[in-house]
Amino acid sequence: MTNSISAPFTSDRLLLFGATGDLSRRMLLPSLCALDAEGLLDPKIEIVGTARSDHDDAEFRNFARESLEQFLPAERRGGMARFLNRLSYQTLDANQMEGFNALAAKVGEPKDGLSIFLSTAPSLFEPTIRGLQASGLAGDNVRIGLEKPLGVDLASSKVINDAVARAFPEDRIFRIDHYLGKETVQNLLALRFANLMFEPLWNAAHIDHVQITVAETVGLESRVAYYDDSGALRDMVQNHMLQLLALVAMEPPVSYDATSVRDEKVKILRSLRKVSTNETVTGQYRAGAIGGQAVPGYDDELGRDSNTETFVAIKAHIDNWRWQGVPFYLRTGKRLPKRTTEIVVQFRDVPHSIFHGRGARTVPNRLVIGIQPSENITLSLMAKVPGLDRNGFGLRSIPLDIAMPDAFAGPQRRIAYERLLLDLIEGEQTLFVRRDEVEAQWEWIDAIRAEWEGQAQEPRTYTAGSWGPSAAIALAERDGVTWHE
Ligand code: BG6
């Protein structure tokens, strides 16, 4: 992909669209305050919030203070007063062009550069970009971060990407997938490419299959309209799960930089085989219980019937040399029994067991990479059961377990957005998604949805607190695979 390369700069202004929204309250303001508390936010940086709701600076600072008190642990709030002093606010209706001049006046002239963080409804992307351009807020020293949803399919994402591209070159566009900001996701690269022992085995000759699970216990939360239009496939698979898959499956990049890493990820995304109907299962939760607590069904939460899937399981294939014949089983859902994100790499069995004649069975090695909430790397290994072997040779699979919080007790655990906001401010693109990646992701997802529509496939029901419809278990079991739980 060809880019014009802009000169590097660190921003001294940050402009947050959607500043009074849920993401800002839970993630963005807490992340910025935490960075500030540690001296990681340049003292020059001023932060302007904007949204449609009417507030003055003082009211916005109050809103921010309440958000910090609710979502940032007290020990990370040192210097909160200084942080709040950086904040100001400008009301803006993005559909009214004239409002952008007042916004530009509020932002003022940055000394070094401006970073914009856009977290708004997809319908506001185009008018917002036009407004930024018209008011001089899209100059050479401006970069823009874009939060999902960037469209609902390939066509609508192209419209958004084209609109943004008219104002900003690709090297100043930062598409956010917050999973890439997670330390344990970045650790996948370290595990694969800073160790010698995995890479020679990381292929179809030695790996039987891969499982990627992103399970959540939450339901609709307060996002009724968004979620019902989206569903699990677009909300979680199109972005987060495909990024995880790409990091697990990609070839070694030449170096850890934005172009090399993203070049390799996009090759994987383009190698995904079109999924056939019997390789996906969708579900929607019904009333049940999680952790002993009764929870309502999706239709009860929504207040009406709906065909939106809250669970999806997919058997994916990567058509390239390395992964021929290795299925990648993906599953994600709301109201599952526990919150867990993990990647399971199931190796093949030894080619010949010398212990067979002694009555011992080998169990193939398995690598489990826990992304959240437990940050663990567990490698199951075969070991001899201590004893005199009078009744045959005893073998058992035992775990070699690394708990990341124990291995790294010192470093601060961070919100993913801390890393991403800092990288946006400093112009480091490696952990952001390039346009060709997003489009390859949508292309694969659109084909799945077209297949569902063609077959008039409706989600099966599952009880909240279970692991999804039984058909999802069957999807793996008919290949002799059991989901890791
Ligand atoms: C968001 C989805 O992108 O990711 C949500 O829109 C989901 O539906 C969330 O709950 C999960 O993020 P995390 O970081 O809690 O795994």
Side-chain angles (χ1 to χ4, degrees):
M1 175 166 251
T2 51
N3 290 325
S4 67
I5 301 294
S6 311
F9 58 87
T10 293
S11 316
D12 56 312
R13 300 287 154 97
L14 187 60
L15 172 56
L16 299 180
F17 279 82
T20 54
D22 208 46
L23 184 73
S24 172
R25 210 162 59 91
R26 288 170 185 265
M27 298 288 169
L28 305 182
L29 292 168
S31 296
L32 289 165
C33 180
L35 290 171
D36 195 11
E38 282 181 67
L40 293 168
L41 219 49
D42 192 290
K44 290 198 301 272
I45 295 184
E46 292 172 23
I47 303 168
V48 179
T50 183
R52 200 168 18 187
S53 45
D54 213 358
H55 298 293
D56 59 19
D57 292 349
E59 285 165 352
F60 181 55
R61 286 178 184 160
N62 261 337
F63 165 85
R65 189 172 33 72
E66 281 167 20
S67 310
L68 298 174
E69 283 166 0
Q70 196 177 349
F71 295 107
L72 190 64
E75 65 278 9
R76 300 203 67 197
R77 272 188 245 139
M80 182 163 82
R82 181 188 56 215
F83 172 72
L84 294 175
N85 264 331
R86 293 178 189 264
L87 303 181
S88 60
Y89 185 83
Q90 179 69 38
T91 304
L92 175 82
D93 176 349
N95 283 313
Q96 308 283 316
M97 277 302 112
E98 47 294 354
F100 281 87
N101 288 333
L103 181 66
K106 188 84 176 188
V107 171
E109 193 54 50
K111 288 180 203 58
D112 302 319
L114 165 68
S115 285
I116 299 174
F117 189 107
L118 212 55
S119 122
T120 46
S123 61
L124 292 179
F125 270 105
E126 269 198 279
T128 304
I129 300 291
R130 263 188 281 120
L132 291 172
Q133 256 184 315
S135 60
L137 285 173
D140 289 348
N141 62 347
V142 183
R143 57 175 74 98
I144 189 158
L146 306 175
E147 180 60 62
K148 76 180 250 266
L150 293 182
V152 294
D153 55 14
L154 179 60
S156 55
S157 102
K158 278 190 168 166
V159 170
I160 291 175
N161 280 323
D162 285 344
V164 181
R166 282 195 284 277
F168 297 92
E170 183 66 26
D171 70 323
R172 287 195 276 117
I173 301 174
F174 289 62
R175 291 180 199 80
I176 289 148
D177 184 314
H178 80 277
Y179 268 52
L180 296 180
K182 292 181 193 272
E183 201 70 62
T184 38
V185 172
Q186 294 156 33
N187 194 37
L188 278 173
L189 295 177
L191 191 71
R192 286 196 59 198
F193 304 123
N195 294 296
L196 180 71
M197 65 253 287
F198 294 117
E199 200 45 30
L201 301 180
W202 211 257
N203 55 50
H206 305 290
I207 293 179
D208 180 77
H209 72 269
V210 174
Q211 300 180 17
I212 304 180
T213 295
V214 181
E216 298 187 278
T217 52
V218 293
L220 254 182
E221 299 181 284
S222 52
R223 308 155 76 217
V224 179
Y226 158 74
Y227 193 86
D228 197 55
D229 282 347
S230 171
L233 183 70
R234 290 190 278 203
D235 185 47
M236 295 298 283
V237 183
Q238 184 272 335
N239 37 54
H240 313 319
M241 295 194 79
L242 287 186
Q243 284 293 320
L244 292 177
L245 176 143
L247 291 173
V248 170
M250 71 183 185
E251 296 301 313
V254 172
S255 73
Y256 185 65
D257 63 63
T259 303
S260 308
V261 171
R262 299 187 300 177
D263 280 354
E264 297 308 335
K265 281 193 293 166
V266 77
K267 283 187 214 162
I268 289 296
L269 297 166
R270 288 192 187 129
S271 315
L272 282 165
R273 186 189 307 165
K274 191 171 171 293
V275 169
S276 45
T277 316
N278 64 357
E279 291 176 325
T280 64
V281 172
T282 54
Q284 191 188 84
Y285 62 84
R286 288 289 171 270
I290 298 177
Q293 198 102 55
V295 293
Y298 182 78
D299 46 355
D300 302 326
E301 278 184 70
L302 195 63
R304 59 180 164 79
D305 289 346
S306 158
N307 266 342
T308 300
E309 81 287 356
T310 61
F311 174 96
V312 60
I314 303 173
K315 180 178 170 187
H317 305 270
I318 298 169
D319 276 335
N320 68 8
W321 195 298
R322 183 188 285 256
W323 294 113
Q324 209 42 239
V326 181
F328 281 64
Y329 298 94
L330 315 179
R331 70 175 167 170
T332 184
K334 302 272 185 203
R335 294 285 194 223
L336 298 185
K338 59 177 181 184
R339 176 172 185 253
T340 180
T341 299
E342 67 171 23
I343 297 166
V344 176
V345 179
Q346 178 63 62
F347 292 94
R348 296 189 188 281
D349 205 350
V350 292
H352 166 73
S353 172
I354 64 165
F355 304 105
H356 189 68
R358 298 294 192 99
R361 204 173 62 86
T362 53
V363 177
N365 303 124
R366 165 183 272 191
L367 177 68
V368 180
I369 306 165
I371 306 283
Q372 63 185 20
S374 38
E375 303 175 3
N376 275 52
I377 297 173
T378 308
L379 180 62
S380 72
L381 297 174
M382 292 309 289
K384 179 184 181 308
V385 180
L388 298 176
D389 306 329
R390 310 308 287 164
N391 298 315
F393 195 87
L395 279 178
R396 191 184 309 152
S397 173
I398 52 167
L400 185 65
D401 212 334
I402 303 167
M404 300 303 279
D406 294 346
F408 297 102
Q412 175 67 56
R413 291 335 225 202
R414 295 182 185 283
I415 309 167
Y417 283 93
E418 289 180 59
R419 172 64 189 258
L420 298 177
L421 283 162
L422 204 56
D423 283 359
L424 171 68
I425 289 167
E426 293 176 353
E428 166 54 61
Q429 268 189 316
T430 310
L431 298 177
F432 294 84
V433 185
R434 208 167 55 189
R435 176 171 183 162
D436 50 1
E437 291 179 78
V438 178
E439 296 190 350
Q441 291 172 179
W442 275 123
E443 207 171 317
W444 190 67
I445 294 293
D446 283 0
I448 295 177
R449 290 189 48 241
E451 190 72 29
W452 290 350
E453 276 156 29
Q455 305 287 328
Q457 181 171 321
E458 289 191 8
R460 299 158 196 259
T461 56
Y462 63 97
T463 308
S466 73
W467 280 104
S470 52
I473 296 165
L475 176 75
E477 271 185 358
R478 65 175 183 239
D479 298 337
V481 169
T482 307
W483 290 104
H484 183 250
E485 268 146 34

